[in-house]
Amino acid sequence: MPLRSDAQHNRERILTVALAELTRSGDVPLSAIAKKAGVGQGTFYRNFPNRQSLVLEVYQYGVQQLSDSAAHLLAAHAPDRALREWMDRLAEYAMVKAGLADALRKATSGSGSLAGLGYGPLTSAVTLLLRANHEAGTIRPGVTPEDFMLAIAGLWHIDPQGDWQTRATRLLDLVMDGLRAGAPG
């Protein structure tokens, strides 16, 4: 059953606040998140019965927002520009995810990995962006989502505490140049 609009708004506000707060500190009290989101404890715990459910939902929420942005970027920009801007958003999310690492590690200890939680939405976004670029002739033919994910894997090795923006921009510019090489258009 879908949530009422006010309940959905409360849930999204909790997730937005939780993403910011958990990025700063994986140990932020849940009561502080509820207070900053402007919801009572009952509302908070109806949505997220424990820390693990909140942390996992925050991760999935961020991945879904990133994935959804692909279609919006394609509607507003040429396919190659949309792809490059999406890559910047992915890099920024990778650094946020690094800030969530402690909370994610605690939330998933004993329950497996996070790989499955984000793979589907991200693959869908990459597939959409690559298809638009193939159709426009702005990237080389035959690039698969798996090729793309391997090419950008260096993002996960960038230190989020250092000058990550400069390093990510350089890496993603190199990847984009490689995607454009051999493009028919």
Side-chain angles (χ1 to χ4, degrees):
M1 176 195 289
L3 293 173
R4 294 183 334 251
S5 64
D6 62 325
Q8 183 62 35
H9 180 69
N10 284 341
R11 183 175 182 79
E12 288 176 8
R13 199 166 54 240
I14 292 167
L15 289 169
T16 300
V17 169
L19 177 60
E21 294 301 309
L22 289 168
T23 297
R24 278 194 272 285
S25 169
D27 292 325
V28 65
L30 298 182
S31 59
I33 293 171
K35 184 176 181 178
K36 279 197 172 186
V39 299
Q41 297 291 330
T43 298
F44 183 89
Y45 285 106
R46 258 192 313 281
N47 282 282
F48 306 101
N50 55 46
R51 179 175 289 276
Q52 179 182 19
S53 67
L54 175 67
V55 171
L56 293 175
E57 184 84 14
V58 164
Y59 175 77
Q60 289 177 303
Y61 179 72
V63 167
Q64 193 61 54
Q65 285 186 314
L66 175 63
S67 298
D68 292 347
S69 72
H72 299 293
L73 289 167
L74 280 170
H77 304 292
D80 58 337
R81 183 164 170 221
L83 175 60
R84 185 60 185 85
E85 286 193 28
W86 189 84
M87 290 164 66
D88 285 338
R89 291 179 183 197
L90 177 64
E92 185 175 341
Y93 185 74
M95 297 305 109
V96 168
K97 189 176 126 199
L100 282 171
D102 187 43
L104 287 165
R105 205 172 12 263
K106 289 175 185 172
T108 59
S109 64
S111 65
S113 75
L114 293 168
L117 295 176
Y119 186 79
L122 291 181
T123 300
S124 295
V126 169
T127 300
L128 178 68
L129 290 160
L130 293 179
R131 183 179 311 121
N133 277 275
H134 282 130
E135 290 170 3
T138 52
I139 63 172
R140 67 184 339 141
V143 177
T144 68
E146 292 79 16
D147 296 335
F148 178 84
M149 295 306 261
L150 282 172
I152 63 161
L155 281 176
W156 314 145
H157 298 284
I158 295 174
D159 179 4
Q161 304 306 317
D163 184 16
W164 68 264
Q165 290 98 340
T166 300
R167 300 214 47 211
T169 297
R170 181 170 166 74
L171 171 70
L172 296 176
D173 284 346
L174 288 167
V175 170
M176 197 68 202
D177 289 347
L179 291 171
R180 287 184 177 123

